[in-house]
Amino acid sequence: MRRLSSRLHAQSTSEKAVISLLVLRSWGSPKGMEEIPGNLGWPLVGESFSFLSDFSSTAGICSFMINRQKRFGKVFKTSVLGRLTVFMTGSDAAKVLLTGKDGMVSLNLFYTGKQVLGQSSLLQTNGEAHKRLRRLIGEPLSIDGLRKYFQFINNLAIETLDEWSGRSVFVLEEASTFTLKVIGNMIMSLEPKGEEQEKFRDNFKIISSCFASLPLNIPGTAFYRGMKARERMFEMLDSIIAKRRSGEICRQDFLDSLIIKHKKAGADSISDEEKLTDAQLKDNILTLLIAGHDTTTAALTWLLKFLGENPHVLEQLRIEHQEIQARRRGENLTWGDVNNLPYTAKVISETLRRATILPWNSRRAAQDFEIGGYKIKKGWSVNLDVVSIHHDAAVFPEPNKFDPSRFEAPLKPFSFLGFGSGPRMCPGINLAKLEISVFIHHLVCKYRWTSLEDGDDSVQPTLVRMPRNKYPIRVEPL
């Protein structure tokens, strides 16, 4: 992938004009922010160019935050992409910002993300509305709810790895296909192959790639393509929903459960509290597709990379899974097996700590409050730097070392945020662990792999941290 700065040079005159308007808004410190250390950068543009440049560096956006923490401390202000913001780090800040005590903060998505997800998305609601939606859509993602999808995930992992054998593959691309097939089947019973799956996958990838793009809804831009793909995706959903309602097709999947909750007046057995509107139905299907794909794809890719770089960890992991295989005497993995993998759980947690797939959590102050000795005003953008929390040497000695044993003892609260925390903790946490555990079982029991990396350790310029080189490997049977 070319550097993000190269893309900016290729933008049209109209796009640059809009960018100028965005950065114009970013200059000028509001009253009260003068006391917070930091640098708002150049007039008009702020620190946007440094921000974009660091996005394409080896460490990704992490380097932008680390360099400023060295100069200003754990709390600093900056101005990027038209947004005045305060960055902060530490477990105390995490507790305040992620628990959202007394409605102190709300989720702070970029404009493009808000438009892609829709106003009815779980990620755009707050307070009681958020609690209600999370309850309504959370059941299929619970441990009990996932049990009926276990066999599909298990079979798909076996089929995927059989196709890897004897080949060179890009793990990121393959992991993306695997996780998208899983979430597509769970939500609307999409078959892993076929024209419908291809259309679904093509539209989804366009939508996902525009999630944090520049807010330019004109032909030729990523945001425009993403919104058009969203329209096509919703047309596809409308067709599937119509067939479900007419009784032409009946599936016991996530979509069916939402349609039941969506029933109109006259369904006496379902209260108003259990109903979803058309907009809520489709916005939250798309929300779960995005939430159930990018982060799991990245986690699986980083996990294989870290295992390849740490053969002693790989060997200990392989022993745990081979013991299951020995007990089963060649029979398939079971639901009970996959929920009893203590070392695998530690490896997953260490992967999420070391990679820090979501490097920051963005919030907007819903009221005035004080944190770290600084006064935060209502309406300010406040970002929690998770990378620094995960690499705090006082909590994680030798933080750049990949060491799953760190998770053998309980950690200080809010020192590990692999799946977030508080009321907005990732709803797909159980699905992600299930997918990764099943996939890893079949991989380490049947295959070995060799890295084909060329020394490029940089990350993609996206909100979810992924290796730029997609982690190329050569796979062979054991």
Side-chain angles (χ1 to χ4, degrees), residues 66-167:
I66 292 170
N67 289 337
R68 282 149 186 80
Q69 285 168 3
K70 289 178 180 178
R71 293 167 58 190
F72 305 117
K74 288 187 175 183
V75 179
F76 67 89
K77 65 186 175 187
T78 185
S79 171
V80 294
L81 298 180
R83 179 180 284 182
L84 284 164
T85 188
V86 177
F87 274 99
M88 54 186 63
T89 190
S91 57
D92 292 338
K95 181 177 181 180
V96 172
L97 296 179
L98 298 185
T99 57
K101 183 180 179 182
D102 299 323
M104 189 176 292
V105 295
S106 60
L107 197 65
N108 191 26
L109 297 173
F110 282 104
Y111 172 82
T112 47
K114 292 179 180 179
Q115 298 303 305
V116 170
L117 292 175
Q119 292 299 315
S120 303
S121 166
L122 175 70
L123 298 183
Q124 296 225 62
T125 56
N126 295 297
E128 291 303 316
H130 177 266
K131 291 179 182 178
R132 171 181 172 269
L133 261 181
R134 191 176 179 100
R135 174 174 54 81
L136 291 178
I137 70 175
E139 182 182 345
L141 295 174
S142 67
I143 292 178
D144 289 339
L146 290 171
R147 184 167 188 162
K148 65 181 178 181
Y149 303 108
F150 165 72
Q151 202 55 56
F152 175 86
I153 296 172
N154 190 55
N155 292 340
L156 182 62
I158 294 171
E159 293 170 9
T160 299
L161 288 167
D162 282 346
E163 293 175 357
W164 286 19
S165 185
R167 294 176 51 217

Side-chain angles (χ1 to χ4, degrees), residues 101-347:
K101 183 180 179 182
D102 299 323
M104 189 176 292
V105 295
S106 60
L107 197 65
N108 191 26
L109 297 173
F110 282 104
Y111 172 82
T112 47
K114 292 179 180 179
Q115 298 303 305
V116 170
L117 292 175
Q119 292 299 315
S120 303
S121 166
L122 175 70
L123 298 183
Q124 296 225 62
T125 56
N126 295 297
E128 291 303 316
H130 177 266
K131 291 179 182 178
R132 171 181 172 269
L133 261 181
R134 191 176 179 100
R135 174 174 54 81
L136 291 178
I137 70 175
E139 182 182 345
L141 295 174
S142 67
I143 292 178
D144 289 339
L146 290 171
R147 184 167 188 162
K148 65 181 178 181
Y149 303 108
F150 165 72
Q151 202 55 56
F152 175 86
I153 296 172
N154 190 55
N155 292 340
L156 182 62
I158 294 171
E159 293 170 9
T160 299
L161 288 167
D162 282 346
E163 293 175 357
W164 286 19
S165 185
R167 294 176 51 217
S168 296
V169 299
F170 289 98
V171 174
L172 184 64
E173 292 180 351
E174 297 289 329
S176 174
T177 299
F178 171 73
T179 56
L180 196 53
K181 286 180 178 179
V182 169
I183 197 69
N185 182 266
M186 284 182 58
I187 289 178
M188 60 189 81
S189 297
L190 276 182
E191 294 297 328
K193 297 180 180 179
E195 183 179 351
E196 193 173 40
Q197 170 68 228
E198 292 299 320
K199 288 168 56 180
F200 165 76
R201 195 185 318 165
D202 290 344
N203 285 323
F204 177 80
K205 288 186 176 181
I206 296 172
I207 294 170
S208 181
S209 65
C210 88
F211 193 76
S213 61
L214 292 170
L216 308 171
N217 196 7
I218 56 178
T221 64
F223 184 39
Y224 179 85
R225 290 191 295 271
M227 293 304 290
K228 288 297 181 182
R230 182 181 190 270
E231 291 176 10
R232 294 193 295 271
M233 178 74 80
F234 277 15
E235 288 173 0
M236 181 180 178
L237 287 173
D238 285 334
S239 175
I240 295 173
I241 290 169
K243 291 177 181 178
R244 299 289 183 92
R245 286 196 180 126
S246 68
E248 181 180 342
I249 297 177
C250 182
R251 300 276 194 271
Q252 291 185 333
D253 54 21
F254 183 76
L255 180 56
D256 264 9
S257 73
L258 288 183
I259 289 174
I260 290 173
K261 293 179 173 68
H262 169 80
K263 285 184 177 178
K264 305 290 185 181
D268 295 335
S269 61
I270 300 178
S271 68
D272 288 339
E273 292 250 327
E274 296 297 318
K275 296 173 187 173
L276 295 173
T277 65
D278 277 340
Q280 288 174 325
L281 186 66
K282 291 185 289 187
D283 285 354
N284 285 289
I285 286 174
L286 182 56
T287 296
L288 288 175
L289 286 172
I290 292 173
H293 175 263
D294 286 5
T295 51
T296 306
T297 295
L300 190 52
T301 304
W302 285 112
L303 194 151
L304 265 66
K305 177 177 170 63
F306 291 142
L307 288 178
E309 295 170 349
N310 297 273
H312 62 289
V313 175
L314 173 58
E315 185 57 31
Q316 189 169 345
L317 184 71
R318 182 170 276 137
I319 289 171
E320 179 173 76
H321 287 271
Q322 286 180 335
E323 287 177 351
I324 292 174
Q325 199 174 43
R327 289 199 306 269
R328 290 289 164 200
R329 297 180 181 178
E331 293 182 11
N332 216 340
L333 186 69
T334 69
W335 175 255
D337 295 330
V338 83
N339 284 285
N340 186 29
L341 296 168
Y343 190 69
T344 301
K346 297 183 183 71
V347 171

